[in-house]
Amino acid sequence: MAKNQTRRIAPSILQADLQAFAALKAITGYTPSNPSYTVAAIQATADGMEAKQTLETQASAAFDAARDNATAGEWAFHNAILGAKAQVDAQFGDNSNEHQSLGQKKKEEFKSPRRKPGPTT
């Protein structure tokens, strides 16, 4: 048995296990003393594994779709805000308080400061 059973099994190892199980099914007269290791019990665990992997794949696809929908919603909202900012600029101007209330600087705040005359010697 493995020490850390919280990590995923490498696909190559899982494939080797599936091949070993296929070979085990072909062995005639296999009667283990522990009923947990009968072909029927192992088949039940294999079926359970496949069902859980299918559920994981479906959940992953649903997560990807939900993430894509959330991203599209975020972009739609962002583009709407950019459009609204442009409309406020068009209606009220770049130096208006309305422009500033949307988190933007007024155009006059971008003016370069004038150079101060240096000290006279």
Side-chain angles (χ1 to χ4, degrees), residues 84-85 87-89 91-104 106:
K85 286 179 180 181
Q87 292 298 309
V88 167
D89 290 348
Q91 185 175 356
F92 298 103
D94 293 345
N95 285 326
S96 66
N97 290 333
E98 291 82 4
H99 175 82
Q100 189 177 25
S101 71
L102 296 178
Q104 299 176 333
K106 291 183 178 182

Side-chain angles (χ1 to χ4, degrees), residues 35-60:
S36 299
Y37 301 118
T38 62
V39 172
I42 295 173
Q43 183 65 53
T45 60
D47 293 342
M49 175 190 69
E50 289 176 4
K52 290 173 184 172
Q53 286 176 336
T54 301
L55 183 63
E56 177 190 22
T57 302
Q58 292 169 347
S60 177

Side-chain angles (χ1 to χ4, degrees), residues 69-116:
N69 290 339
T71 301
E74 290 168 0
W75 276 104
F77 175 72
H78 178 67
N79 290 332
I81 292 298
L82 290 178
K85 286 179 180 181
Q87 292 298 309
V88 167
D89 290 348
Q91 185 175 356
F92 298 103
D94 293 345
N95 285 326
S96 66
N97 290 333
E98 291 82 4
H99 175 82
Q100 189 177 25
S101 71
L102 296 178
Q104 299 176 333
K105 284 186 173 184
K106 291 183 178 182
K107 188 174 182 180
E108 64 189 19
E109 293 175 0
F110 283 108
K111 291 182 179 176
S112 299
R114 295 185 180 163
R115 294 185 89 170
K116 295 181 181 176

Side-chain angles (χ1 to χ4, degrees), residues 1-76:
M1 298 293 161
K3 290 181 182 179
N4 186 359
Q5 294 186 7
T6 59
R7 290 187 349 200
R8 297 298 295 256
I9 296 176
S12 60
I13 295 173
L14 201 54
Q15 185 61 37
D17 289 345
L18 290 171
Q19 290 172 353
F21 180 55
L24 180 66
K25 286 194 242 181
I27 296 175
T28 56
Y30 172 69
T31 53
S33 59
N34 188 341
S36 299
Y37 301 118
T38 62
V39 172
I42 295 173
Q43 183 65 53
T45 60
D47 293 342
M49 175 190 69
E50 289 176 4
K52 290 173 184 172
Q53 286 176 336
T54 301
L55 183 63
E56 177 190 22
T57 302
Q58 292 169 347
S60 177
F63 172 76
D64 290 343
R67 184 184 57 225
D68 291 345
N69 290 339
T71 301
E74 290 168 0
W75 276 104

